[in-house]
Amino acid sequence: MSRLVYVLNGPNLNLLGKRQPEVYGHETLADVEKACRATAGELKLEIRFFQSNREYEIIDWIHEARETAGGIAINPGAFTHTSVAILDALNAFDGPVIEVHISNIHKREAFRHHSYVSGRADGVIAGFGTQGYPLALQRLARLIDTAAQK
Ligand code: CA2
């Protein structure tokens, strides 16, 4: 299985570290990408790191990942709670998928408690702050290694 992992980020995550630090912390998305690249290096993973405010772009990256990648880490942002289209795209991806949320969505408003993406994700990380991203990569590396041994 490919050791390429897509790290996908949904709408408004480009504002990370710039607004609402009480909810999402002080780290920017560039900081998150840097941390992911460091962890990926340790795990011998290659990563492609993307953010978009457009649902179709996230779907297109998932389709691209079908051809190239061994795993996906995804923070779908608010599309988590609305997007059957992203769920459908993930259902067409064969490798492991880890869903990441910076905040603990279960401690927040009721409309954030349901995730369409969780219907496909092999694991969900929520409320670990931006530390959740490197943790997701650790889990993906383990799942990719295990699949390679079979
Ligand atoms: O906790 C998460 O990671 C979320 O996926 C973030 C989404 C939210 O809609 C989900 O319910 C939970 C929102 C991302 C917006 O990020 C911002 C960051 C800084 C300032 C404003 C928005």
Side-chain angles (χ1 to χ4, degrees):
M1 194 184 271
S2 167
R3 296 192 74 78
L4 174 63
V5 166
Y6 276 47
V7 183
L8 302 178
N9 293 280
N12 297 308
L13 284 159
N14 53 312
L15 298 178
L16 207 60
K18 297 171 185 167
R19 300 286 300 273
Q20 292 183 257
E22 67 288 357
V23 182
Y24 299 113
H26 290 277
E27 277 192 295
T28 64
L29 199 62
D31 295 328
V32 174
E33 179 172 359
K34 206 171 157 189
C36 284
R37 292 200 178 282
T39 301
E42 289 162 17
L43 296 167
K44 299 189 170 28
L45 295 176
E46 187 192 334
I47 60 167
R48 290 190 187 153
F49 191 100
F50 297 114
Q51 185 275 331
S52 181
N53 296 324
R54 300 172 184 87
E55 192 174 16
Y56 77 88
E57 226 163 10
I58 294 166
I59 293 165
D60 284 350
W61 287 323
I62 296 168
H63 291 176
E64 195 181 283
R66 292 182 68 225
E67 309 299 324
T68 56
I72 296 176
I74 182 165
N75 182 346
F79 291 150
T80 305
H81 319 295
T82 63
S83 183
V84 176
I86 289 176
L87 171 63
D88 287 346
L90 289 170
N91 276 330
F93 178 77
D94 285 334
V97 174
I98 303 295
E99 178 181 350
V100 179
H101 298 287
I102 297 165
S103 63
N104 180 359
I105 54 175
H106 301 290
K107 202 179 168 186
R108 301 183 64 191
E109 303 96 320
F111 66 83
R112 296 185 203 273
H113 295 178
H114 177 261
S115 164
Y116 284 101
V117 171
S118 293
R120 162 61 179 91
D122 296 289
V124 182
I125 297 171
F128 284 66
T130 54
Q131 199 190 345
Y133 287 80
L135 291 172
L137 293 180
Q138 279 186 22
R139 182 63 184 157
L140 285 171
R142 174 73 69 90
L143 293 171
I144 289 169
D145 288 344
T146 307
Q149 284 159 14
K150 281 179 184 164

